[in-house]
């Protein structure tokens, strides 16, 4: 690619030397007055690029490719930033869901403890229905389900945090790596 700028006005030089040996049996000497069998030609070509459309077109093409590459890089950076922002928003939502699941688990555990206490000591209220072992088992099942929900919410949160760290890490690696 020719350098566009100060060097575009520099002249270009070309040199050429040619040697020809013509055979004597062709009888060229009969047709030409000063015919010689050994011929030398020397030439010099000087090109001054006052108007070089090819070079100018190549410069415009290179500039357009640079602008296109820059726009693609900006687009990729914007998409990566958007992805990171979506992951951060998702992370905030998952933190709220995890906290909610933990509170539900704690509530279910407290309800189980209340049912167990009422089963052991009675309800303490004469108008309340008595608690049965079946109620205790239902409360235990619900407490286990809520505990599992809290664990699953924690796992989802950790996965989202890892995805965010991977995305941010890949962006930082891309920013620190040399241009390819």
């Amino acid at each position: 690619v020719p350098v566009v700028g100060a060097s575009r006005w520099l002249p270009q030089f070309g040199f050429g030397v040619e040697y020809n040996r013509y055979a004597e049996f062709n009888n060229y000497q009969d047709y030409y007055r000063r015919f010689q069998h050994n011929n030398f030609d020397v030439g010099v070509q000087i090109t001054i690029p006052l108007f070089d459309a090819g070079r100018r077109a190549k410069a415009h093409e290179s500039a357009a490719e640079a602008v296109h590459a820059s726009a693609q890089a900006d687009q990729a950076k914007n998409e990566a930033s958007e992805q990171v922002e979506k992951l951060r928003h998702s992370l905030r939502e998952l933190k709220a869901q995890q906290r909610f699941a933990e509170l539900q688990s704690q509530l279910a555990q407290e309800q189980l403890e209340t049912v167990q206490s009422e089963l052991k000591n009675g309800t303490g209220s004469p108008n309340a229905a008595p608690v049965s072992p079946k109620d205790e088992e239902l409360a235990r099942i619900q407490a286990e389900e809520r505990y599992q929900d809290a664990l699953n919410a924690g796992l989802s949160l950790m996965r989202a945090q890892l995805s965010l760290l991977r995305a941010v890490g890949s962006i930082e690696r891309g920013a620190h790596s040399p241009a390819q």
Side-chain angles (χ1 to χ4, degrees), residues 121-139:
N121 301 328
T123 60
S125 173
N127 297 336
V131 179
S132 67
K134 182 180 178 183
D135 293 333
E136 179 188 12
E137 282 303 312
L138 290 175

Side-chain angles (χ1 to χ4, degrees), residues 19-154:
Y19 169 74
N20 292 311
R21 167 81 178 148
Y22 295 106
E24 295 178 10
F25 62 84
N26 289 338
N27 297 326
Y28 285 126
Q29 66 272 8
D30 295 339
Y31 300 105
Y32 299 104
R33 268 195 231 166
R34 290 188 230 153
F35 177 75
Q36 295 180 352
H37 294 284
N38 294 315
N39 289 294
F40 269 110
D41 289 324
V42 177
V44 176
Q45 178 185 0
I46 300 173
T47 305
I48 300 173
L50 296 177
F51 178 74
D52 191 353
R55 188 179 289 186
R56 184 176 297 164
K58 187 67 174 172
H60 287 300
E61 180 184 358
S62 296
E65 287 175 1
V67 168
H68 181 68
S70 176
Q72 282 183 330
D74 288 343
Q75 181 182 4
K77 188 171 94 173
N78 290 340
E79 288 174 359
S81 296
E82 184 178 323
Q83 180 186 11
V84 167
E85 193 55 40
K86 283 180 181 178
L87 285 171
R88 285 187 177 147
H89 179 70
S90 168
L91 190 65
R92 287 189 294 269
E93 286 181 3
L94 287 173
K95 281 181 183 179
Q97 288 176 1
Q98 180 197 24
R99 182 66 182 139
F100 181 71
E102 287 175 353
L103 290 174
Q104 280 188 324
S105 176
Q106 289 173 1
L107 179 64
Q109 186 64 36
E110 289 173 4
Q111 286 175 344
L112 173 63
E113 291 171 3
T114 302
V115 168
Q116 287 174 339
S117 173
E118 287 179 359
L119 187 62
K120 185 187 257 185
N121 301 328
T123 60
S125 173
N127 297 336
V131 179
S132 67
K134 182 180 178 183
D135 293 333
E136 179 188 12
E137 282 303 312
L138 290 175
R140 188 180 307 278
I141 290 171
Q142 187 175 18
E144 285 297 320
E145 286 176 352
R146 297 298 175 251
Y147 179 71
Q148 289 293 321
D149 291 343
L151 289 178
N152 289 335

